[in-house]
Amino acid sequence: MKIIDSTLQPQIDSTLDVARVRADFPILELQVEGKPLVYLDNAASSQMPQPVIDRLVRYQTRQHANINRGVHYLSETATAEYEAARCKLQRFINAREDREVIFTSGTTDSINLVMHGYGRKFIGAGDEIILTTLEHHSNIVPWQMLAEEKGARIRVVPINDAGELLIDDYEKLFNERTKFVGVMHVSNALGTINPVREMIAFAHARGVPVLVDGAQAAPHMKVDVQELDCDFYAFSGHKMCGPTGIGILYGKAELLERMQPFKGGGDMILSVTFERTTYNSIPHKFEAGTPPIAAAIGLGAAVDYLSNVGINAIAAYEIELLNYATEQILQIPGVRIIGTAAKKTAVLSFEVAGVHPHDVGTLLNQEGVAVRTGHHCVQPVMLRLKVPATTRASFAFYNTMAEVDTFIAGIRTVQKIFI
């Protein structure tokens, strides 16, 4: 079964030097249970290359200070580096202006910012919010909280057995009460690539803004927010070779300017009296308190690194890994792939007949193979596909075909022990 997305075919770049790339990741030299680490949990968190580690060390040893308003050398240096990182993120996603990039603690924080800043101001009683069955809990729960508070209603786009959105049903959900759409770009559990550009165009034709959860897309494919024409786009640094505790929210400037701040204090303020507070301009209006300065600079280094490797080369190589792993796993009797969409990124969820996913993961760990097991924070997907949990292997551009072979051999070992 081939899962190559035909839209990626013209971009395939065989120049990606995997051996050279792997030399940048010191953690890949680790041994687990006396065996070489095979790290296939990249959808949860990817590993950090030496240039990003070095950048963090340089900041902490040579540049650290609090940013904004400081007149001394270190504060001015840290401020300049922090804002330079924002510009790198702007270029990475092709935002129109750097003030459209807000640093947050990650995708969840970004979605909560939109819910509080936009949703609480513009969504009211009787209004409807469209989500999809595929959504991560972090793009469900905030909107449930808003719906309960405002008396709004959530409507859900169904999926088919392959894990693809039923777009005809999506279009039928729209009516005069529809006020917002939230959709993930790529499914973290199944790897499905959703047709977000078409979904956004359909929503915009009806005056409805769209937030895209890009946590599983930004590390693996070219994201151009102007081409997508999304209103909001969120992703996390730790899934794209950067530090934890950092992410961004992209928002169209005209929308961000109309929104209420999510948190108060620090540099989000221009002036304060006990009678009234005047807020700062965007993006600072949404960056209360001392931000994660080192992490933001580290994320800037991470997008530099990904850009130098080549995001199209990364996408193409990861599809090759997925296709090879899919072909190999389909040769194992008793193993079923969960999620067989026509367009996927390099995520392979599966179940081994007669073996609980946690046991599969535990035994794979004894072979040095790191995978994720459980519901992957998408319990509605598990309910729809009638599986309590899956084992998930998620690949990155530093993985190899030989590691796929180790992973496949590990599954056969699991079967020998349990069946």
Side-chain angles (χ1 to χ4, degrees), residues 135-156:
E135 299 310 308
H136 191 281
H137 295 169
S138 62
N139 200 26
I140 298 175
V141 177
W143 302 110
Q144 285 179 331
M145 295 166 72
L146 180 72
E148 290 176 7
E149 175 186 323
K150 296 288 187 175
R153 179 187 182 195
I154 291 174
R155 306 193 72 185
V156 182

Side-chain angles (χ1 to χ4, degrees), residues 68-69 263-272 277-280 284-285 287-291:
N68 298 325
R69 296 188 296 276
K263 302 171 184 173
D267 202 46
M268 56 80 68
I269 291 160
L270 279 182
S271 67
V272 176
T277 295
T278 303
Y279 302 131
N280 204 343
H284 309 294
K285 183 173 76 172
E287 295 181 357
T290 298

Side-chain angles (χ1 to χ4, degrees), residues 293-348:
I293 306 165
I297 292 170
L299 178 55
V303 299
D304 279 346
Y305 184 83
L306 293 174
S307 299
N308 288 336
V309 173
I311 198 71
N312 288 335
I314 288 171
Y317 177 68
E318 290 178 349
I319 291 296
E320 290 178 8
L321 281 171
L322 175 65
N323 279 332
Y324 181 65
T326 301
E327 290 167 358
Q328 295 302 309
I329 206 168
L330 286 174
Q331 295 178 25
I332 307 176
V335 175
R336 182 170 75 99
I337 295 175
I338 309 297
T340 53
K343 293 186 176 182
K344 288 183 62 174
T345 55
V347 170
L348 191 58

Side-chain angles (χ1 to χ4, degrees), residues 188-204:
N188 67 308
L190 310 179
T192 308
I193 301 174
N194 290 322
V196 293
R197 184 165 60 179
E198 293 78 6
M199 295 172 73
I200 292 166
F202 189 88
H204 283 180

Side-chain angles (χ1 to χ4, degrees), residues 102-276:
I102 300 164
F103 284 118
T104 67
S105 67
T107 306
T108 300
D109 193 33
S110 297
I111 294 170
N112 275 274
L113 192 163
V114 177
M115 185 278 276
H116 284 279
Y118 183 91
R120 296 184 77 183
K121 185 173 183 180
F122 295 109
I123 297 175
D127 289 341
E128 296 184 356
I129 302 161
I130 295 178
L131 305 175
T132 84
T133 303
L134 292 173
E135 299 310 308
H136 191 281
H137 295 169
S138 62
N139 200 26
I140 298 175
V141 177
W143 302 110
Q144 285 179 331
M145 295 166 72
L146 180 72
E148 290 176 7
E149 175 186 323
K150 296 288 187 175
R153 179 187 182 195
I154 291 174
R155 306 193 72 185
V156 182
V157 186
I159 60 174
N160 61 22
D161 291 341
E164 299 166 315
L165 295 179
L166 299 179
I167 296 303
D168 288 347
D169 288 22
Y170 165 70
E171 296 178 355
K172 291 174 184 173
L173 292 179
F174 281 80
N175 58 52
E176 68 280 1
R177 296 184 296 276
T178 306
K179 294 296 187 293
F180 198 82
V181 172
V183 56
M184 57 168 35
H185 199 163
V186 170
S187 164
N188 67 308
L190 310 179
T192 308
I193 301 174
N194 290 322
V196 293
R197 184 165 60 179
E198 293 78 6
M199 295 172 73
I200 292 166
F202 189 88
H204 283 180
R206 287 145 187 85
V208 178
V210 180
L211 175 145
V212 180
D213 171 353
Q216 299 296 334
H220 304 290
M221 62 176 66
K222 176 63 181 173
V223 171
D224 185 328
V225 294
Q226 292 192 63
E227 183 183 22
L228 291 174
D229 197 28
C230 53
D231 300 281
F232 303 100
Y233 197 97
F235 58 86
S236 302
H238 68 98
K239 297 181 190 296
M240 48 195 300
C241 302
T244 55
I246 187 70
I248 74 151
L249 171 68
Y250 157 80
K252 288 181 176 175
E254 62 270 25
L255 287 174
L256 294 176
E257 287 171 342
R258 294 166 57 199
M259 288 164 52
Q260 294 293 331
F262 175 24
K263 302 171 184 173
D267 202 46
M268 56 80 68
I269 291 160
L270 279 182
S271 67
V272 176
T273 67
F274 277 106
E275 289 73 35
R276 186 171 184 273

